């Protein structure tokens, strides 16, 4: 079986709680060359804000996925290509590993399983809201990260492993260790990517890089540079 994310090099994560840079539109975002949009964030996400972003982005060709941070914000919308549901492998509280998922399945009947996929997060920036929120144990060596990645793929059948440094640029060695530990699963990296070079460097280790804050803080020209960095890193790997 093949999955759409296997062809992605670059993902733009849109936080529905944050604005775009003045004068920029969702059309501009879709024209950066990014391969997919993930819509989600951890703080103050409401259904209404989610709907607004889905509505505005669904007119263009880029696939859009919702990444809900809790069961209460999931939107039932045909415009979505699917749902990427996080599970946090190094959370201290099992609510963020399987508990929220159990609640979701309990309250929703008729989930669209064909469009529902999971992302196995390894959260590594202790300062991030996602680390606080899930009480993640972020003190992990490269070997620990590699082992989490392997457990996620081999024992839990996860197809997406996500090394998350939300808000700060991470350690390429840990990202590389996760990549080396995987056979077929896809590795996402997110955190602090802000220019061509950072996208290029992490793009050499991860299958796809995720860019979040940059869109809201600097705008689409900066995002386009990161698309180029990520694509060049992939082109180089393919040529090797
Ligand atoms: C079962 C369902 C439907 C949901 C549960 C989903 C889970 C387990 C969420 C855990 C938290 C998580 C991994 C959320 C994904 C989104 C994310 C990482 C947002 C980025 O977080 P930050 O950048 O730290 O937060 P802000 O940007 O909001 O400050
Ligand atoms: O906002 P940044 O630091 O780019 O992180 C992207 C993403 O991994 C957040 O979930
Ligand atoms: Mg953020």
């Amino acid at each position: 079986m093949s999955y759409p994310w296997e062809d992605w090099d670059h993902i733009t994560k849109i936080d529905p709680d944050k604005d775009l840079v003045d004068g920029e539109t969702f059309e501009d975002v879709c024209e950066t060359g990014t391969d997919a949009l993930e819509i989600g964030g951890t703080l103050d996400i409401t259904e209404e804000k989610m709907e607004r972003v889905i509505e505005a982005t669904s007119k263009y060709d880029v696939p859009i996925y919702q990444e809900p941070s809790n069961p209460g914000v999931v939107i039932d919308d045909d415009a979505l290509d699917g749902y990427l549901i996080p599970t946090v492998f190094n959370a201290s509280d099992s609510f963020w590993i399987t508990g929220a998922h159990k609640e979701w399945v309990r309250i929703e009947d008729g989930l669209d399983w064909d469009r529902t996929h999971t992302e196995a997060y390894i959260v590594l920036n202790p300062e991030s809201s996602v680390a606080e929120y899930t009480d993640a144990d972020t003190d992990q060596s490269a070997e620990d990260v590699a082992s989490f990645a392997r457990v996620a793929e081999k024992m839990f059948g996860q197809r997406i492993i996500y090394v998350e440094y939300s808000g700060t640029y991470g350690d390429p060695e840990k990202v590389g260790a996760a990549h080396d530990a995987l056979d077929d699963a896809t590795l996402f990296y997110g955190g602090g990517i802000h220019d061509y070079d950072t996208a290029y460097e992490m793009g050499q280790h991860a299958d796809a890089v995720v860019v979040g804050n940059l869109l809201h803080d600097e705008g689409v020209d900066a995002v386009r540079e990161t698309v180029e960095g990520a694509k060049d890193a992939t082109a180089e790997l393919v040529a090797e």
Side-chain angles (χ1 to χ4, degrees):
M1 180 144 180
S2 68
Y3 297 96
W5 51 81
E6 291 169 358
D7 296 328
W8 301 347
D9 300 313
H10 186 282
I11 301 158
T12 302
K13 192 176 284 194
I14 301 177
D15 186 334
D17 191 43
K18 293 182 186 163
D19 294 324
L20 297 179
V21 163
D22 259 357
E24 296 189 351
T25 65
F26 286 105
E27 182 175 15
D28 300 330
V29 178
C30 294
E31 282 174 354
T32 56
T34 192
D35 295 306
L37 304 181
E38 265 194 280
I39 309 173
T42 47
L43 304 175
D44 300 319
I45 304 303
T46 64
E47 217 169 296
E48 195 192 353
K49 292 177 189 170
M50 277 278 184
E51 298 264 26
R52 206 182 311 139
V53 179
I54 295 169
E55 220 256 292
T57 51
S58 60
K59 304 184 191 80
Y60 310 103
D61 275 347
V62 183
I64 51 176
Y65 286 78
Q66 190 186 2
E67 186 189 55
S69 52
N70 69 70
V73 299
V74 182
I75 305 289
D76 182 6
D77 192 326
D78 290 339
L80 288 167
D81 290 81
Y83 301 89
L84 296 175
I85 311 292
T87 171
V88 180
F89 267 55
N90 61 329
S92 302
D93 180 345
S94 69
F95 185 76
W96 303 111
I97 309 172
T98 54
H101 313 72
K102 183 267 290 178
E103 281 307 305
W104 187 41
V105 170
R106 192 170 64 81
I107 57 181
E108 293 292 331
D109 38 41
L111 280 184
D112 184 355
W113 292 111
D114 290 340
R115 285 195 301 154
T116 303
H117 312 281
T118 51
E119 298 168 313
Y121 268 78
I122 306 163
V123 170
L124 295 176
N125 173 15
E127 311 289 319
S128 64
S129 11
V130 64
E132 259 174 68
Y133 187 67
T134 63
D135 197 13
D137 178 1
T138 57
D139 186 15
Q140 310 287 346
S141 67
E143 216 179 9
D144 293 325
V145 173
S147 302
F148 266 125
R150 186 164 289 156
V151 166
E153 178 180 26
K154 294 297 182 194
M155 301 175 82
F156 289 83
Q158 295 297 294
R159 305 308 309 162
I160 299 171
I161 316 302
Y162 193 139
V163 173
E164 171 69 294
Y165 276 91
S166 183
T168 195
Y169 190 61
D171 179 349
E173 191 200 335
K174 292 186 185 176
V175 183
H179 192 255
D180 291 346
L182 298 176
D183 276 343
D184 302 320
T186 298
L187 182 68
F188 287 5
Y189 167 80
I193 289 184
H194 59 274
D195 58 10
Y196 179 93
D197 290 344
T198 47
Y200 182 82
E201 182 176 47
M202 284 303 183
Q204 287 185 307
H205 299 292
D207 296 304
V209 301
V210 184
V211 169
N213 291 342
L214 190 69
L215 172 67
H216 303 285
D217 296 345
E218 303 293 331
V220 293
D221 291 339
V223 172
R224 193 175 301 105
E225 262 188 53
T226 65
V227 172
E228 283 161 17
K231 299 274 170 199
D232 286 352
T234 303
E236 186 157 305
L237 291 176
V238 170
E240 270 170 17

